[in-house]
Amino acid sequence: MKVKDYYEILGVSRNATDEEIRRAFRRLARKYHPDVNKSPEAEKKFKEISEAYEVLKDPEKRKKYDQFGDAWQRVKDGGTPPPGWEDIFSKFNFYSTGNEKVYVDFGEDSFSGFSSFFDFLFGGGATSRSQKERRSGYRGGWVSRGEDIEARIQLSLEEAAFGGEKTLTIQDPITREVKSVNIRIPPGIKPGQKIRIPGKGAPGLGGGVPGDLFLKVDILPHPVFRLEGNQLFATLPITPWEAALGAQIEVPTLDGKVKINIPPGSSSGRKLRLKGHGYPDRFGKKGDLFLELKIEVPKILSPKEKELFEELKRVSTFNPRQ
């Protein structure tokens, strides 16, 4: 009986990082996935690499596998193997933590006395199987849940704020199949949060359920607003006379345009707060919108405008540098 070397199956070293293991699996899965590779051995090979990845991607499973080999699933919660483990492994040199391949030939009559060992490996009832079947290994089907897939989705500020339905075109990382997926965007989703679409990940193996699709949200830059938490910020350009005399002007918000009052004597940098016109949270409560005033002057003056500015210069006693 040959101990399965999951590291060898994936073609990685025993000290491989999680990312190296993930890349190796995806490379091999694309090569041997039954939907892509129609050769008779492809499905068997795909099951092998999927089984190896299922163990090595999980830190706890990997730790047990590194210690107990194929038998890691039968190790009790406390990490204790069944009676006779050390004697059996010592006698037959069955398991090794090194990279060498280790084989065991129990022979026709060597199963007597090792029932607890085979129960440990294959579950209860191993001793009732035929000698031939016991030597060939476990014949039951292997079922595995499909791998979760993570992708990024870019949303406009309005799409993220108000939510809604959206149709995406995605490509399966294993089969390269392109498919359309309808998703619901929850209102008030934030950058970096994830939308989970159940059952839209990689397909399962042996009748196993497919994995999930996780979409990590990026919010595109907005031409007017800047998002910070639940608050929105924007720069509001105003004229010198609006700043000096005050004015009522129309400004944009996520909900549409509203009218606000510019206080007389306003300077650049002054912030006006519009309560409840910011970004919604997941309960629908909105933050505030802050408008920073910026006084703009005409780049080109008409003769009349120049005359009036000259008159203002002559009669005004205002000096901002004093």
Side-chain angles (χ1 to χ4, degrees):
M1 181 167 57
K2 180 183 177 181
V3 177
K4 290 182 182 177
D5 188 337
Y6 289 153
Y7 294 99
E8 183 182 13
I9 289 171
L10 292 182
V12 297
S13 66
R14 286 188 170 268
N15 59 357
T17 64
D18 292 343
E19 181 58 30
E20 288 171 337
I21 289 171
R22 187 179 301 109
R23 285 202 304 266
F25 167 71
R26 289 185 173 175
R27 174 176 53 81
L28 292 170
R30 283 195 290 268
K31 182 177 179 181
Y32 291 106
H33 195 286
D35 290 344
V36 176
N37 191 328
K38 302 302 182 182
S39 67
E41 294 297 315
E43 184 174 357
K44 179 182 176 182
K45 184 67 175 177
F46 184 72
K47 287 180 180 179
E48 276 190 344
I49 62 178
S50 296
E51 180 181 354
Y53 180 63
E54 189 70 21
V55 174
L56 298 185
K57 75 176 182 179
D58 185 294
E60 288 301 317
K61 292 179 182 179
R62 183 178 179 181
K63 182 179 178 182
K64 284 187 177 181
Y65 171 76
D66 286 342
Q67 185 176 1
F68 299 109
D70 281 1
W72 71 270
Q73 286 180 297
R74 301 294 180 184
V75 175
K76 297 177 182 177
D77 292 339
T80 304
W85 167 274
E86 293 181 357
D87 292 340
I88 293 169
F89 274 53
S90 173
K91 182 176 180 180
F92 292 99
N93 191 29
F94 180 80
Y95 178 71
S96 171
T97 57
N99 291 323
E100 67 273 15
K101 300 176 183 178
V102 181
Y103 299 86
V104 175
D105 183 3
F106 286 99
E108 289 295 322
D109 301 316
S110 299
F111 286 90
S112 59
F114 298 111
S115 61
S116 63
F117 171 70
F118 279 96
D119 286 346
F120 176 69
L121 286 181
F122 304 121
T127 55
S128 65
R129 296 193 181 103
S130 67
Q131 298 283 4
K132 182 178 179 181
E133 184 174 349
R134 281 179 290 191
R135 287 197 301 275
S136 64
Y138 179 55
R139 295 290 184 87
W142 188 75
V143 179
S144 174
R145 178 183 180 275
E147 184 184 9
D148 291 336
I149 297 175
E150 183 172 310
R152 304 187 81 92
I153 179 174
Q154 292 184 328
L155 303 175
S156 69
L157 185 64
E158 288 83 359
E159 286 177 323
F162 301 120
E165 301 289 330
K166 193 175 181 72
T167 300
L168 299 180
T169 300
I170 63 172
Q171 186 179 53
D172 190 302
I174 295 176
T175 65
R176 297 301 187 186
E177 177 188 0
V178 176
K179 53 187 176 182
S180 295
V181 177
N182 294 321
I183 66 168
R184 188 185 69 83
I185 302 166
I189 195 165
K190 299 287 182 59
Q193 290 183 334
K194 296 178 181 179
I195 302 172
R196 173 176 170 262
I197 300 95
K200 295 300 182 181
L205 186 66
V209 297
D212 298 333
L213 172 63
F214 289 87
L215 299 174
K216 190 172 184 180
V217 171
D218 291 326
I219 296 182
L220 296 169
H222 195 275
V224 176
F225 303 113
R226 185 179 79 255
L227 176 63
E228 293 184 15
N230 281 357
Q231 316 300 343
L232 290 175
F233 297 84
T235 299
L236 178 61
I238 58 174
T239 64
W241 45 94
E242 287 172 335
L245 303 175
Q248 186 180 74
I249 62 175
E250 208 171 50
V251 297
T253 73
L254 280 180
D255 301 307
K257 293 184 177 181
V258 298
K259 288 185 177 181
I260 64 167
N261 292 316
I262 305 294
S266 294
S267 300
S268 285
R270 181 172 184 171
K271 290 184 174 66
L272 304 180
R273 175 189 176 198
L274 278 64
K275 188 175 181 180
H277 284 281
Y279 193 83
D281 61 19
R282 61 193 183 94
F283 301 107
K285 183 179 179 181
K286 293 184 179 180
D288 300 329
L289 169 61
F290 293 87
L291 300 173
E292 182 176 346
L293 302 183
K294 182 181 179 183
I295 299 173
E296 299 275 4
V297 298
K299 289 183 172 57
I300 300 176
L301 296 174
S302 67
K304 184 62 176 178
E305 286 173 329
K306 187 173 182 180
E307 179 185 338
L308 292 173
F309 272 109
E310 291 286 356
E311 179 66 15
L312 179 62
K313 175 184 175 181
R314 186 179 66 81
V315 300
S316 177
T317 59
F318 175 66
N319 186 347
R321 293 171 295 282
Q322 287 183 347

